[in-house]
């Protein structure tokens, strides 16, 4: 349990990123980086992963990139939040 | 009237147990935790046990506390119900044990099952019933203790609802144990009612935690 507390799981990071993107509506990488508290390399890795799974979409606006959550991403986020509150009841964390 | 009330209470409690088991299973597919697996399996067993008790009470027209002293079906149902309960709570206790102490305590589940089987070997059914309720009570005391530790850390309304549910179930088992010792159908019904309120608390927890995601 100690290790789980020290190290954030991939699921927790997915949840933080999806929360950040949904909260902003049209999120810049810097906003996600700040909200999800990730290094740039790890952020790129996770954004690619979430984009590949169809949970977020990239929109290119000139040199700027924005991320938008997809309907599939919203469903997954709801499922993750439910899971988070369910396991909280038993003393666990995502 | 008593067996019918027991049938309804058990049926509703079993439904909550199955829903909890399903939620735990679904969450485990995302989070992959030994405790969630234990919760899914344990509540499934509890649901099966409660259905057994519900069906037998209606079939015999008696609560299990009265039926196990007279009819063969009552004897079989009593052993089946008490065994599934004992294993279910042992699984929960093992799950909480894993959460608290790490994976090395995985041997707890088979160990408790073996002890349960040995109790049946040398004791009569009455003594088995008393002993199994006592064992379940001890396991529940451990689960409640873990629940208190978890809630004192987490301080969340969800951990409080789960703690309340297990505390009510523990109180119900103390009453059920007294009812078996006294062979009192009335006391058995009171115990089953308190257990039902425990499952009701679990239902509130499921509804509230389910509502969070949509926010």
């Amino acid at each position: 349990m100690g290790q789980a507390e020290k190290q954030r799981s991939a699921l927790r990071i997915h949840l933080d990123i999806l929360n950040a993107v949904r909260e902003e509506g049209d999120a810049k990488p810097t906003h996600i980086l700040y909200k999800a508290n990730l290094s740039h390399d790890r952020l790129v890795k996770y954004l690619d992963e979430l984009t590949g799974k169809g949970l977020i979409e990239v929109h290119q606006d000139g040199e700027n990139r924005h991320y938008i959550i997809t309907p599939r991403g919203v469903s997954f986020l709801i499922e993750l939040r439910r899971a988070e509150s369910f396991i909280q009841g038993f003393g666990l964390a995502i | 009237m008593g067996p019918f009330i027991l049938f309804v209470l058990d049926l509703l409690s079993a439904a909550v147990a199955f829903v909890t088991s399903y939620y735990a299973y679904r969450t485990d597919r995302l989070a992959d935790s030994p405790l969630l697996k234990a919760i899914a399996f344990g509540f499934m067993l509890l649901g099966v046990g409660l259905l057994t008790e519900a069906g037998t009470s209606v079939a015999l027209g008696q609560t299990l506390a009265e039926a196990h002293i007279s009819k063969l079906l009552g004897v079989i149902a009593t052993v089946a119900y008490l065994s599934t309960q004992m294993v279910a709570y042992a699984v929960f206790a093992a799950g909480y044990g894993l959460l608290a102490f790490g994976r090395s305590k995985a041997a707890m589940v088979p160990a408790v099952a073996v002890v349960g089987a040995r109790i049946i070997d040398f004791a009569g059914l009455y003594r088995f019933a008393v002993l199994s309720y006592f064992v379940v009570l001890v396991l529940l005391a451990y689960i409640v203790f873990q629940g208190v530790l978890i809630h004192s850390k987490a301080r969340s309304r969800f951990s409080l609802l789960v703690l309340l549910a297990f505390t009510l179930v523990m109180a119900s088992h103390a009453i059920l144990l007294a009812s078996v010792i006294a062979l009192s159908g009335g006391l058995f019904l009171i115990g089953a009612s308190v257990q039902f309120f425990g499952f009701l608390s679990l239902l509130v927890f499921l509804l509230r935690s389910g509502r969070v995601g949509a926010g």
Side-chain angles (χ1 to χ4, degrees):
Chain A
M1 188 154 161
Q3 205 182 357
E5 276 172 3
K6 279 179 214 156
Q7 211 170 13
R8 264 194 306 170
S9 68
L11 212 56
R12 175 80 245 172
I13 295 170
H14 287 168
L15 179 62
D16 291 341
I17 293 176
L18 290 173
N19 265 330
V21 175
R22 193 187 188 190
E23 190 183 275
E24 197 68 3
D26 194 7
K28 290 179 186 173
T30 45
H31 173 82
I32 306 168
L33 191 104
Y34 169 71
K35 283 284 179 179
N37 193 23
L38 288 166
S39 67
H40 181 263
D41 288 351
R42 291 184 83 199
L43 178 72
V44 170
K45 180 193 151 206
Y46 282 110
L47 285 177
D48 285 349
E49 203 178 312
L50 292 174
T51 310
K53 285 179 179 170
L55 301 176
I56 54 174
E57 277 173 6
V58 198
H59 286 246
Q60 196 81 34
D61 178 19
E63 285 195 356
N64 298 322
R65 290 208 302 178
H66 298 263
Y67 290 89
I68 294 172
I69 194 164
T70 63
R72 201 174 156 199
V74 173
S75 305
F76 186 64
L77 179 61
I78 289 170
E79 205 180 326
L80 277 183
R81 282 180 180 171
R82 279 183 185 152
E84 187 185 32
S85 44
F86 181 81
I87 67 175
Q88 250 181 33
F90 298 95
L92 296 168
I94 278 181
Chain B
M1 190 68 185
F4 178 72
I5 295 170
L6 188 65
F7 172 76
V8 174
L9 291 177
D10 279 349
L11 213 60
L12 293 172
S13 300
V16 176
F18 285 128
V19 173
T20 310
S21 172
Y22 172 69
Y23 266 59
Y25 164 74
R26 218 177 60 170
T27 310
D28 182 56
R29 282 171 60 197
L30 277 174
D32 188 26
S33 149
L35 177 58
L36 287 174
K37 285 182 183 68
I39 289 162
F41 183 59
F43 274 107
M44 192 195 70
L45 282 179
L46 274 185
V48 170
L50 287 162
L51 282 185
T52 308
E53 189 186 48
T56 318
S57 302
V58 162
L60 296 177
Q62 286 174 308
T63 64
L64 280 190
E66 300 153 343
H68 80 268
I69 50 173
S70 56
K71 296 173 185 169
L72 181 64
L73 181 59
V75 171
I76 295 166
T78 305
V79 171
Y81 171 64
L82 294 174
S83 305
T84 50
Q85 268 211 130
M86 209 156 48
V87 175
Y89 288 113
V91 168
F92 290 147
Y96 276 108
L98 285 175
L99 182 68
F101 305 113
R103 289 172 181 271
S104 60
K105 298 289 186 289
M108 276 172 73
V109 180
V112 171
V114 168
V115 170
R118 283 190 186 156
I119 289 168
I120 302 174
D121 276 351
F122 67 74
L125 185 66
Y126 176 77
R127 272 178 290 171
F128 170 65
V130 172
L131 274 171
S132 64
Y133 273 113
F134 181 74
V135 170
V136 168
L137 200 58
V138 171
L139 290 169
L140 276 163
Y142 173 73
I143 293 166
V144 168
F145 173 68
Q146 287 297 329
V148 169
L149 291 182
I150 285 167
H151 180 64
S152 63
K153 254 192 198 175
R155 293 265 165 216
S156 94
R157 60 195 162 131
F158 301 121
S159 58
L160 181 66
L161 283 167
V162 171
L163 173 62
L164 179 67
F166 278 122
T167 305
L168 284 169
V169 173
M170 185 181 76
S172 79
H173 276 76
I175 300 168
L176 291 170
L177 173 63
S179 82
V180 172
I181 290 169
L183 291 176
S184 161
L187 211 54
F188 196 86
L189 272 182
I190 295 170
S193 307
V194 175
Q195 180 172 250
F196 171 70
F197 282 110
F199 279 96
L200 211 59
S201 169
L202 210 56
L203 181 65
V204 173
F205 159 68
L206 291 176
L207 292 174
R208 288 201 171 178
S209 64
R211 218 185 301 159
V212 163

